Amino acid sequence: MNKELNQEIVKKAKEIFDEVDVLVGWKKGSSPLKVSPAFIDKEKDLDNLVYNRLCINNLASYAYKLSKEVKGSIGMVLKPCDARAIMQLVSEGLVERGKFKLITVGCSGVFDYKKIQRKVDGARVSSIRFEPGKIEVETASGKTTISTSEVYADKCHWCEISANSLSADHFVENKEKLDAAKKDRFQDIKELEGLDLEKIYSYWEEEFSRCIRCYACRNICPMEVCQDQCIVHLDYPNWQSQKAVAPENKFFQMIRVLHLAGRCVECGECERVCPQNISLLKMMKKMNQQIEKLFEYKSGMDAESKPPLLTYKTVEKNIEEEELI
């Protein structure tokens, strides 16, 4: 897409490569619609790095485990929204900032490949070509031209940090700016809450009924670092069964919501990898909405600020305790 930008990223990666044991970025995937995470420990492989609007994966998902497994420093090429997750991990003391050398790259938005796939009726994509304002997708049935405005990831429509050098050791400016139409971040929540309680309940019952408890949402989340001790797998105390039925699914998802309260950076990875297309991010945004209102805290924006639910204060200025009694 942008050869100059790609060259600049490779250049920066080569500049820091002697300082790191491994560098994490993106490379071409097995499908024209996807890129894959790249874990590079040989300098010659840096030329395989790519950065384009298909780089939807949040590479910060690997930060915690790599920090435990790699003795030296870790280099990472990140979008600003991915760097936000690193900031959150640092603020919680889960990783050390000095362990990472971050190359943060300005973002012009990322495409949701599921949306592209729906535009071509699920046909296998043989090639994809990017043009200003549109993409050309080729399948066995022929070429389809799609407006880029139709396939941006949802999070791009309310992004405010696409050109922010969050936590960067090196910032690479992107001349292509984010042009996704602005939308209300909480519009979907407002629409759902405009329904009566029975319809809201039915909505979530239907969503949870599709869950197959594959745990992909938990495993991809950059903040859910306690997978080996996850409450759903404990024999003692045994909190819930492994049955993939609506009540158990709902309990699992409510645990996730509370676990991520004030911590979720809304990267959307949980929803992206969900094979059942459950509206997982909607729940997380609702919790974040309340955290921001009550505590004036937004996750991942300041490594020095602690998540409000990981701290204790006898009095919170925006909560009138006497009104809760």
Side-chain angles (χ1 to χ4, degrees):
M1 285 174 66
N2 188 329
K3 289 184 179 179
E4 288 184 14
L5 181 64
N6 238 64
Q7 290 169 355
E8 184 63 22
I9 292 168
V10 171
K11 177 183 174 183
K12 291 293 182 185
K14 288 181 177 180
E15 288 175 5
I16 70 165
F17 197 69
D18 288 341
E19 305 172 39
V20 303
D21 286 4
V22 63
L23 185 132
V24 186
W26 295 275
K27 63 181 180 180
K28 287 183 179 180
S30 57
S31 161
L33 268 186
K34 297 181 182 180
V35 298
S36 298
F39 301 87
I40 298 172
D41 58 7
K42 295 181 177 61
E43 187 170 357
K44 64 182 179 64
D45 293 331
L46 292 174
D47 290 322
N48 295 328
L49 286 171
V50 300
Y51 186 87
N52 57 41
R53 286 178 172 168
L54 296 175
C55 294
I56 193 170
N57 317 61
N58 184 350
L59 300 183
S61 298
Y62 302 102
Y64 178 78
K65 285 188 177 180
L66 283 175
S67 72
K68 303 300 180 187
E69 295 170 359
V70 177
K71 290 184 178 180
S73 294
I74 302 158
M76 300 193 87
V77 179
L78 301 171
K79 306 185 298 292
C81 57
D82 304 339
R84 182 181 169 187
I86 297 290
M87 293 272 278
Q88 186 64 23
L89 288 167
V90 172
S91 76
E92 296 182 23
L94 293 171
V95 301
E96 295 179 16
R97 177 62 182 87
K99 182 89 174 177
F100 295 87
K101 300 290 183 183
L102 302 183
I103 300 172
T104 306
V105 186
C107 181
S108 57
V110 290
F111 296 147
D112 183 337
Y113 57 80
K114 288 184 179 180
K115 293 181 179 180
I116 298 174
Q117 201 73 68
R118 286 194 289 269
K119 290 288 183 182
V120 295
D121 297 323
R124 184 174 181 178
V125 174
S126 57
S127 69
I128 183 168
R129 182 179 177 184
F130 301 95
E131 298 287 348
K134 64 181 181 180
I135 54 178
E136 290 185 357
V137 181
E138 187 166 2
T139 68
S141 302
K143 291 183 179 179
T144 303
T145 301
I146 305 169
S147 170
T148 56
S149 63
E150 299 178 88
V151 292
Y152 279 116
D154 290 343
K155 63 182 180 180
C156 295
H157 291 287
W158 53 76
C159 178
E160 297 176 347
I161 59 170
S162 60
N164 194 315
S165 58
L166 273 177
S167 200
D169 294 299
H170 302 275
F171 181 70
V172 180
E173 185 177 359
N174 189 345
K175 293 179 181 178
E176 294 180 350
K177 304 303 179 184
L178 175 63
D179 61 354
K182 291 297 179 183
K183 294 181 181 179
D184 185 340
R185 176 176 160 217
F186 300 119
Q187 184 59 39
D188 54 349
I189 295 171
K190 291 175 184 176
E191 291 173 358
L192 182 61
E193 293 181 338
L195 304 175
D196 60 51
L197 288 178
E198 279 192 16
K199 289 183 178 178
I200 294 174
Y201 182 80
S202 296
Y203 172 82
W204 286 116
E205 284 293 293
E206 197 281 326
E207 292 288 304
F208 295 139
S209 71
R210 301 202 308 275
C211 178
I212 58 175
R213 296 279 289 281
C214 63
Y215 302 116
C217 54
R218 179 199 66 185
N219 296 346
I220 198 68
C221 177
M223 307 312 303
E224 293 190 78
V225 300
C226 51
Q227 295 165 22
D228 294 338
Q229 297 89 31
C230 182
I231 194 172
V232 301
H233 299 314
L234 293 178
D235 292 326
Y236 182 82
N238 183 236
W239 288 93
Q240 71 173 134
S241 77
Q242 298 301 308
K243 295 178 181 178
V245 293
E248 296 284 344
N249 299 343
K250 181 163 54 178
F251 185 56
F252 166 64
Q253 293 297 345
M254 290 303 101
I255 290 171
R256 287 194 67 241
V257 169
L258 293 174
H259 184 201
L260 293 166
R263 306 176 62 226
C264 173
V265 295
E266 298 179 20
C267 65
E269 287 293 86
C270 56
E271 195 166 290
R272 178 179 70 84
V273 300
C274 178
Q276 298 297 89
N277 296 315
I278 299 171
S279 301
L280 298 170
L281 189 56
K282 194 175 295 186
M283 293 188 294
M284 301 302 172
K285 286 197 298 176
K286 176 59 183 177
M287 184 59 78
N288 277 354
Q289 184 186 46
Q290 296 306 306
I291 295 293
E292 290 171 26
K293 177 182 176 182
L294 294 176
F295 302 104
E296 298 176 353
Y297 175 85
K298 197 168 185 177
S299 58
M301 301 305 290
D302 181 4
E304 301 301 317
S305 298
K306 300 298 179 186
L309 298 189
L310 296 186
T311 62
Y312 173 76
K313 294 180 182 177
T314 54
V315 177
E316 295 286 353
K317 68 176 184 176
N318 291 335
I319 300 178
E320 301 292 340
E321 284 87 351
E322 64 273 13
E323 294 181 6
L324 302 178
I325 299 174

